[in-house]
Amino acid sequence: MELKELGENLFVAAQISPSDLETLAARGFRSVISNRPDGEAPDQASFADISREAHRNGMEVRYIPVVASKIAPDDVSAFRLALAALPKPILAYCRTGTRSTFLWALSEAASRPLEEIATRANAAGYDLKNIETRLQEMASQRLSQNVEG
């Protein structure tokens, strides 16, 4: 299991297994967010199995399943709220970590410079080109709200 840090007590990873939760808890993780819909692959652990092991190891969980090309504003809001509410550090996972990174980037676009978001994502090995337009739109909304407010 390779964990990639996005910063501020948030890490992303590819699909984890129930047996990884004990290791994650021992490393100090207090929460897990699953961004992978159940049943995407026959060999993936279900969210119920991950959740059960996480709870057994004293961790909190959230299930925010998304398809990368169909991330909705409600998904971004749910992710932002989970980041604010869950005990830290947090591990978010999906098949490769990309969806989790996209959700983080979109949730941060309203409050953080896009260059910083891109730098953090790139340092973790993720490319944000597929959501670049959405990130710019969200940053523009933030900037216009700052000017108006």
Side-chain angles (χ1 to χ4, degrees), residues 16 66 83 93 95 111:
I16 61 173
V66 297
L83 291 181
Y93 75 90
R95 187 178 67 83
S111 61

Coordinates of all heavy atoms in Angstrom, one line a residue, residues 16 66 83 93 95 111:
I16 N -7.5 -0.2 -1.1 CA -7.0 -0.8 0.1 C -7.8 -2.1 0.3 O -8.9 -2.3 -0.2 CB -7.0 0.1 1.3 CG1 -8.4 0.5 1.7 CG2 -6.0 1.3 1.1 CD1 -8.5 1.3 3.0
V66 N -17.6 7.8 -6.6 CA -17.7 8.7 -7.8 C -17.1 8.0 -9.0 O -16.2 7.1 -8.8 CB -17.0 10.1 -7.6 CG1 -17.7 10.9 -6.5 CG2 -15.6 10.0 -7.4
L83 N -13.8 16.1 4.9 CA -12.5 16.6 5.3 C -12.5 17.4 6.5 O -11.7 17.4 7.4 CB -11.8 17.3 4.2 CG -11.4 16.5 2.9 CD1 -10.7 17.4 1.9 CD2 -10.4 15.4 3.3
Y93 N -9.3 6.8 -0.7 CA -8.8 5.9 -1.7 C -9.9 5.6 -2.8 O -11.1 5.9 -2.6 CB -8.4 4.5 -1.1 CG -9.6 3.7 -0.6 CD1 -10.2 2.8 -1.5 CD2 -10.2 3.8 0.6 CE1 -11.3 2.0 -1.1 CE2 -11.2 3.1 1.0 CZ -11.8 2.2 0.1 OH -12.9 1.4 0.5
R95 N -9.6 3.5 -7.1 CA -8.8 2.4 -7.8 C -7.3 2.8 -7.8 O -6.5 1.9 -7.6 CB -9.4 2.2 -9.2 CG -8.7 1.0 -9.9 CD -9.3 0.7 -11.2 NE -9.0 1.8 -12.2 CZ -7.8 1.9 -12.8 NH1 -6.9 1.1 -12.7 NH2 -7.7 2.9 -13.7
S111 N -10.7 27.8 -2.2 CA -10.0 28.5 -1.2 C -8.5 28.5 -1.3 O -7.8 29.2 -0.5 CB -10.4 27.8 0.2 OG -10.0 26.5 0.2

